[in-house]
Amino acid sequence: MTAFAQGTGLIEVRPVGWDDTAAVALRRAMTEEMDARYADVLAVIGLVPSGMNVQPETVAYTGVAYTAEGVAVGHVALRGLGDDVELKRMFVTPSHRGTRVARALLAAAEDAARALGAPRVVLQTGPRQPDAVRMYEREGYTPIPVFAPYDRLPGSLCFEKLL
């Protein structure tokens, strides 16, 4: 469990299981938002290419961010990808964007990646998420070539951070 100051309150990122109720609800909200944001792309490519969906057995860490009042407001996960770990399902509820919740989630995920012995964290995002791209760059992530399976997804942007 990691706590971070956020405005006048505290954000606590708790490690949870992949099947945790709050984690599942936050991933569902993210899926709905991304499906709407990228509907035209998904219509062209059809089903999400194999390998983009997270298989629970590959998840090495799942974290949920909670407010001081106990409200779940963010989600992050790591899955194994060779020697590296991949940041997956990073999501902050719209009501808490811009309040440092994403930074708290990212820091907790990076701490978990270090504890797992990973040399770096890699991630994929898209061009319709400019706030996410700016945040990753601000936090030390640098662009890398698009890696599989995202090379089959038009417009993919991939980043790494060496640990």
Side-chain angles (χ1 to χ4, degrees):
M1 179 169 59
T2 310
F4 297 88
Q6 176 255 333
T8 59
L10 193 68
I11 291 295
E12 181 179 69
V13 179
R14 301 177 195 161
V16 300
W18 179 254
D19 60 352
D20 175 81
T21 304
V24 170
L26 288 161
R27 287 195 305 273
R28 187 175 311 115
M30 178 186 183
T31 298
E32 289 171 7
E33 182 177 325
M34 292 302 107
D35 285 354
R37 192 175 292 204
Y38 291 97
D40 59 326
V41 174
L42 295 173
V44 170
I45 65 168
L47 296 175
V48 173
S50 175
M52 289 186 205
N53 291 319
V54 178
Q55 301 304 314
E57 64 274 7
T58 67
V59 176
Y61 170 81
T62 304
V64 172
Y66 288 89
T67 65
E69 298 77 29
V71 178
V73 295
H75 178 280
V76 67
L78 295 173
R79 73 171 170 181
L81 190 67
D83 291 336
D84 301 318
V85 292
E86 181 183 7
L87 191 77
K88 293 297 292 180
R89 304 301 185 256
M90 177 86 157
F91 179 74
V92 176
T93 59
S95 63
H96 282 77
R97 291 181 185 160
T99 64
R100 307 191 77 170
V101 172
R103 286 183 180 183
L105 286 163
L106 195 56
E110 290 169 2
D111 288 346
R114 285 184 194 92
L116 292 165
R120 69 179 182 156
V121 175
V122 296
L123 66 91
Q124 178 272 343
T125 189
R128 297 180 186 171
Q129 295 160 265
D131 294 342
V133 170
R134 281 192 299 275
M135 191 265 309
Y136 292 132
E137 289 175 336
R138 190 172 49 244
E139 296 301 313
Y141 284 76
T142 56
I144 59 173
V146 176
F147 56 91
Y150 308 107
D151 52 349
R152 295 176 290 174
L153 188 62
S156 285
L157 304 171
C158 293
F159 293 85
E160 73 173 356
K161 183 174 184 179
L162 301 178
L163 302 174

